[in-house]
Amino acid sequence: MPSPNQATFFVENLLTWYEENGRHDLPWRADAATPFNVLVAELMLQQTSAGQVLNVYGDFVQKYPTPESILDTPQEELADDIESLGLRKRTRYFREASEQLVENYDSSVPDTRSELLELQGVGEYTATSVLAHAFEKDVAAVDTNVARILSRVFGLDYDDKPEASENWELAEELLPSGRSSDYIHALIDFGAEVCTASNPSCESCPLEGICEYRSEESS
Ligand code: SF4
């Protein structure tokens, strides 16, 4: 586990990097995004790049601003609208989750983890992301990229295993209260731009000073 100084260094430098370099222009990160927009974006981002989602997200949320608008559309038309994203089961996720929202939550997106996890297509990462981005809850989410960053910086031996409970516990321990959305977005962008799976940019990395991986590589 990191020392308090390491934890502070990690979070402060990560958030500073994000403020200066993060992808603040992604529309699902805008303040105007509704909880339903955020849920749609998180379902789209499953196994899919932000670039691919960017190509369809704007038109999609304009056409489908509510769960009812999805249910009012023939399944084939909905499938055509998200075909470029791949993952055919996503059409079923959208329809069945929309049915659940209409029937059980008065067409709103619920704001508890247990309720979100009941929605079709929603797993731990998606539920946590919705809680952070739509409802500003103090929660942290771990995917493969986040697991890689934590493993490298803190010298953990459960590299690239996002489901490892140690990863989730550490990510939550480091979580800056009240900044969960920025924190999660920062980790996503940092993993895509700096601490990449191959050839990480260690020479210009703001976390270099505490990074175990970097220390071992240069010793
Ligand atoms: S120093 Fe290298 S390995 Fe460590 S966090 Fe930065 S980019 Fe990743």
Side-chain angles (χ1 to χ4, degrees), residues 2-208:
S3 69
N5 283 349
Q6 286 175 313
T8 301
F9 184 97
F10 178 83
V11 171
E12 288 184 352
N13 282 278
L14 179 71
L15 290 178
T16 298
W17 178 89
Y18 175 65
E19 280 158 19
E20 294 169 357
N21 303 284
R23 300 194 63 183
H24 305 286
D25 58 337
L26 292 174
W28 53 90
R29 295 184 181 181
D31 291 343
T34 67
F36 187 65
N37 294 159
V38 172
L39 175 62
V40 163
E42 291 301 329
L43 289 173
M44 286 184 170
L45 287 162
Q46 291 178 358
Q47 298 176 48
T48 310
S49 71
Q52 284 174 278
V53 173
L54 205 48
N55 288 334
V56 301
Y57 174 83
D59 289 342
F60 189 92
V61 295
Q62 198 164 16
K63 182 174 178 179
Y64 304 107
T66 62
E68 286 89 346
S69 53
I70 286 183
L71 298 177
D72 287 344
T73 303
Q75 182 156 330
E76 301 71 33
E77 186 176 333
L78 178 66
D80 285 348
D81 287 339
I82 56 173
E83 187 181 17
S84 65
L85 298 177
L87 204 62
R88 293 183 65 81
K89 62 186 177 186
R90 199 166 355 224
T91 303
R92 180 167 55 80
Y93 288 169
F94 276 127
R95 286 193 65 82
E96 294 183 9
S98 294
E99 279 173 9
Q100 291 172 288
L101 294 178
V102 170
E103 288 173 11
N104 303 333
Y105 301 104
D106 199 20
S107 300
S108 297
V109 177
D111 65 354
T112 68
R113 186 188 300 271
S114 59
E115 290 171 316
L116 285 163
L117 286 171
E118 286 177 9
L119 299 178
Q120 189 62 245
V122 173
E124 282 289 344
Y125 186 87
T126 300
T128 305
S129 296
V130 171
L131 289 174
H133 304 317
F135 300 111
E136 299 178 357
K137 306 264 186 181
D138 274 340
V139 289
V142 179
D143 66 1
T144 304
N145 293 316
V146 175
R148 182 178 63 251
I149 297 167
L150 296 179
S151 297
R152 284 176 173 169
V153 173
F154 298 110
L156 311 179
D157 60 6
Y158 33 90
D159 192 19
D160 288 359
K161 293 190 178 65
E163 68 281 2
S165 61
E166 293 93 336
N167 276 324
W168 287 75
E169 287 163 14
L170 178 55
E172 295 233 342
E173 185 183 319
L174 295 165
L175 172 70
S177 181
R179 304 252 351 235
S180 60
S181 186
D182 284 346
Y183 175 64
I184 293 172
H185 286 150
L187 286 166
I188 292 170
D189 292 356
F190 192 77
E193 298 290 329
V194 182
C195 196
T196 48
S198 56
N199 301 319
S201 304
C202 299
E203 321 74 41
S204 55
C205 174
L207 303 180
E208 183 189 14

